[in-house]
């Protein structure tokens, strides 16, 4: 300790002033230290941001990945839900998965007709924005339904925050051990004002399921 | 001759007795600053706890913004009153303060928020908070202080004492802290003035102290030939202390769902007191060493070669330095 303090207070025993070259060397050394530290910091950042947790939806069902920093939460009628605690909005960006028993005669074409209507009963001020056929897990046909609604996230906790316009996407596909017995609904949602900030994460979630644009 | 050659390759060097000059005013001002900031917190928490009530929107933001300037204003006021013997030009101190604020607000904070997006990952675990806090936040903030002092005042003839490194780095650190406080006020739409005042004081104490520590190393390397790792070590120490301090601060103030700002304030006061005492001791010892060596055998040349602004010229208002060259006794 005393050696360290001695080195701190007495770097030179000559009183010699530094040369211009030494000053330049000091600048470069400090900048190099800063650069190396920032690169290490960047590596830590990427490791955290890109870290994924895996979720198996069940036997015979695909596996999806979501950001590891998201927190699991319970949800009524949901198989799984995770929220991003770093969301600035009172409505945390989230991923939820629901499995619904599908009637024998259920087809994706039927779901395309009925799903927005069903959602409109679940959410306030529901607006159906679009329905896009995509290629789902294992090359199955799937639907991506985009919509918006009004949520009141602080009401349950007794808070008086303002209601939030939520933008969401449902990925629908039929899956199961027997032939297409369950409708799988993977939902991503966020405050509409923050949608663009979470778009990459949502896209990564769908990509982990093997979702591709367009029908196969 | 060797020394004369060395100096002829660098900027103007003042004589050792000038380099080793002490500024009692700085240390007294710094201690008074600690006391003043405690009174500032006491004012908003005990005497005027309801000051912000009934205010919202713009008036609350304006009051919060005015408050965020108080720590820096207090330090400058105390320093101005106490630094009478060889007064440091107040315009240059203010210049470094504003430069520190400008670089922080225009470059460093946008980098932290946009490029590094620290809010998205820094608090994911204790390890990311500690190491990310040091490697990203600490390093960028220490780099701000370093660059502002290095390219804002370092080669100026007014930078002619070892302790000037501490003075100007503290000013840059307070500029940085003021911008962080501004951001805090704006992000929260004004502040709860009692808790807000504590937060502002903690920021000011931390950045003034750790910038001052980096300033000590800058003062050393300005007037002494140092080993290659010396300044990078000082820079790393300052960055590490910034990251470590805010890591500990978070642990101390947040216990479960409770927030104990007072514990955070006590920690900041203790850390600032220890850091300032350490810097004071280091400067004193280094000054003694400089004077001892100067008396034993003067090695320093004072030849004014290519100063940024020659002493005595309109741009350089420092007292007349000795222009005599002195030979080195090997």
């Amino acid at each position: 300790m005393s050696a360290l303090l001695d080195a701190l207070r007495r770097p030179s025993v000559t009183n010699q002033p530094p040369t211009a070259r030494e000053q330049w060397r000091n600048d470069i050394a400090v900048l190099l230290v800063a650069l190396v530290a920032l690169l290490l910091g960047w590596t830590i950042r990427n490791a955290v941001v890109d870290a994924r947790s895996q979720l198996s939806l069940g036997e015979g069902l695909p596996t999806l990945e979501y950001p590891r920093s998201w927190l699991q939460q319970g949800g009524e009628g949901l198989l799984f839900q995770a929220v991003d605690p770093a969301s600035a909005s009172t409505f945390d960006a989230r991923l939820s998965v629901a499995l619904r028993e599908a009637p024998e005669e259920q087809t994706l074409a039927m779901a395309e007709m009925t799903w927005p209507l069903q959602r409109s009963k679940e959410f306030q001020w529901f607006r159906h924005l679009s329905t896009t056929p995509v290629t789902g897990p294992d090359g199955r046909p799937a639907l991506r339904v985009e919509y918006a609604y009004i949520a009141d996230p602080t009401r349950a906790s007794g808070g008086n925050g303002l209601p939030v316009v939520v933008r969401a996407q449902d990925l629908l596909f039929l899956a199961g051990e027997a032939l297409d017995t369950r409708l799988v609904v993977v939902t991503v949602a966020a405050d509409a004002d923050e949608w663009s900030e979470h778009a990459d994460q949502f896209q990564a979630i769908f990509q982990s399921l093997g979702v591709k644009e367009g029908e196969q | 001759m060797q020394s004369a050659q060395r100096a002829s390759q660098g900027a103007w060097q003042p004589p050792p007795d000038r380099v080793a000059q002490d500024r009692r005013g700085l240390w007294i001002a710094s201690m008074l600053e600690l006391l003043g900031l405690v009174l500032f917190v006491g004012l908003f928490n005990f005497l005027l706890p309801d000051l912000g009530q009934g205010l919202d929107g713009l008036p609350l933001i304006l009051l919060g913004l005015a408050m965020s300037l108080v720590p820096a204003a207090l330090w400058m006021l105390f320093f101005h009153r106490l630094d009478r013997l060889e007064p440091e030009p107040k315009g240059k101190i203010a210049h470094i303060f504003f430069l520190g604020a400008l670089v922080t607000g225009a470059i460093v904070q946008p980098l932290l928020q946009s490029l590094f997006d620290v809010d998205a990952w820094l608090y994911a675990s204790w390890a990311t908070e500690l190491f990310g806090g040091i490697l990203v936040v600490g390093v960028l903030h220490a780099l701000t202080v370093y660059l502002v002092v290095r390219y804002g005042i370092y080669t100026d003839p007014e930078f002619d004492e070892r302790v000037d490194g501490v003075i100007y780095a503290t000013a840059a650190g307070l500029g940085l802290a003021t911008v962080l406080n501004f951001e805090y006020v704006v992000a929260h739409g004004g502040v709860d003035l009692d808790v807000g005042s504590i937060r502002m004081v903690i920021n000011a104490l931390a950045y003034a102290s750790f910038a001052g520590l980096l300033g000590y190393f800058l003062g050393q390397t300005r007037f002494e030939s140092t080993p290659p790792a010396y300044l990078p070590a000082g820079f790393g120490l300052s960055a590490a202390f910034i990251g470590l301090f805010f890591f500990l601060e978070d642990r101390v103030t947040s216990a479960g769902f409770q927030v104990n700002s007072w514990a955070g304030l006590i920690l900041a006061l203790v850390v600032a007191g220890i850091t300032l005492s350490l810097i004071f001791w280091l400067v004193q010892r280094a000054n003694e060493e400089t004077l001892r060596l100067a008396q034993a055998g003067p090695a320093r040349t004072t030849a004014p070669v290519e100063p940024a602004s020659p002493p005595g010229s309109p741009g350089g208002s420092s007292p007349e330095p000795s222009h005599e060259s002195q030979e080195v006794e090997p």
Side-chain angles (χ1 to χ4, degrees), chain A residues 11 28 51 68 77 81 138 149 179 191 210:
Chain A
I28 296 296
R68 189 170 291 170
Q81 179 167 252
D138 304 324
Y149 62 94
L179 186 63
D191 185 323

Side-chain angles (χ1 to χ4, degrees), chain A residues 134-145:
Chain A
V134 294
T135 303
D138 304 324
R140 297 166 200 243
L143 288 175
R144 188 174 60 216
V145 180

Side-chain angles (χ1 to χ4, degrees), chain B residues 4 24 33-34 44 61 73 80 127 133 166 217 230 234 239 255 276 287 298 300 315:
Chain B
R24 287 178 59 81
E33 164 88 350
L34 294 185
F44 285 102
I61 289 180
H80 176 72
V166 180
F217 285 88
Y230 186 75
L276 283 171
N287 284 346
R300 182 183 299 282

Side-chain angles (χ1 to χ4, degrees), chain A residues 106-136:
Chain A
Q106 174 85 64
T107 63
L108 212 54
M110 288 169 67
E112 184 175 356
M113 301 291 287
T114 59
W115 188 250
L117 185 63
Q118 194 165 336
R119 281 303 206 198
S120 71
K121 292 175 187 168
E122 296 171 19
F123 299 124
Q124 290 215 326
W125 299 102
F126 176 84
R127 291 287 183 280
H128 177 223
L129 301 177
S130 67
T131 299
T132 313
V134 294
T135 303

Side-chain angles (χ1 to χ4, degrees), chain B residues 130-149:
Chain B
L130 177 60
F131 294 110
I134 292 172
L135 294 170
V136 177
V137 182
V139 162
L140 276 177
H141 285 166
L143 192 62
T144 305
V145 173
Y146 176 81
L147 292 176
V148 164
V149 174

